[in-house]
Amino acid sequence: MRTTTIPTEIKAASERGQSEARFDSAERQQSRATLKVLMNHIYELNKGVRHMVLFTCKKKYSELAIQRLESQGIPYLLQPAGQQNLNVYFGRRECLEAIRLIVTRPLNLLTPEEDFILGAMLGYDICAQCERYCKRKGQCEGKCQGKCEECINRN
């Protein structure tokens, strides 16, 4: 039985090619997953489940998101979110106009009041927003958990 050896340069190039193929496959999977989340948000918006959406994605997927929104005539706003991400707000025009006035800086720099309003506009659980607001104001330290009127009525 005769064995042959693969020259180091060819072997390295082959491994590099396999690595790039795996990266491309992972990249395609990430792209599909990102698009799937976006399409779910658009579906909920069109069905009236939401009036506004905050979709955060890698900047490299922003063109895909923008094309999809524009093709469906959905208004949107863009906001950088760090070096690699982008916040895409989309939905009803009146909501976006309010966002344009409220969200004038990165989300982590919003006041507790601005943060509360944004969360409420996005349809987040109102009791969780109340608790978050109180914590950010340093007023409750968890004492209000489950005690707002809506939470009491829900239980």
Side-chain angles (χ1 to χ4, degrees), residues 26-149:
E27 188 69 27
R28 281 193 301 276
Q29 279 185 307
Q30 181 65 44
S31 176
R32 279 192 293 259
T34 300
L35 185 59
K36 192 173 182 178
V37 170
L38 176 66
M39 293 307 297
N40 186 65
H41 286 318
I42 291 172
Y43 173 81
E44 290 179 349
L45 182 73
N46 289 337
K47 290 296 182 184
V49 174
R50 301 172 179 267
H51 297 296
M52 191 180 74
V53 174
L54 168 56
F55 174 68
T56 302
C57 65
K58 300 274 184 207
K59 287 181 180 175
K60 60 185 169 187
Y61 302 127
S62 63
E63 209 168 300
L64 181 66
I66 291 166
Q67 286 173 355
R68 185 62 61 140
L69 294 170
E70 287 180 350
S71 73
Q72 295 195 25
I74 300 172
Y76 63 89
L77 288 173
L78 304 175
Q79 178 191 44
Q83 295 288 329
Q84 298 177 10
N85 294 327
L86 185 72
N87 286 334
V88 182
Y89 297 90
F90 62 92
R92 305 257 320 246
R93 289 192 191 284
E94 54 269 31
C95 295
L96 292 174
E97 288 305 317
I99 289 300
R100 196 182 315 271
L101 297 171
I102 295 168
V103 184
T104 58
R105 56 194 169 285
L107 297 180
N108 64 326
L109 299 178
L110 294 180
T111 66
E113 291 78 11
E114 292 165 333
D115 180 81
F116 180 85
I117 292 168
L118 177 61
M121 290 177 70
L122 290 167
Y124 296 168
D125 179 89
I126 198 66
C127 292
Q129 285 302 112
C130 290
E131 186 175 355
R132 178 179 167 90
Y133 174 74
C134 290
K135 283 180 181 176
R136 289 193 70 200
K137 292 294 278 188
Q139 297 296 313
C140 74
E141 302 303 320
K143 293 181 287 190
C144 65
Q145 186 175 12
K147 294 183 181 171
C148 74
E149 188 174 327

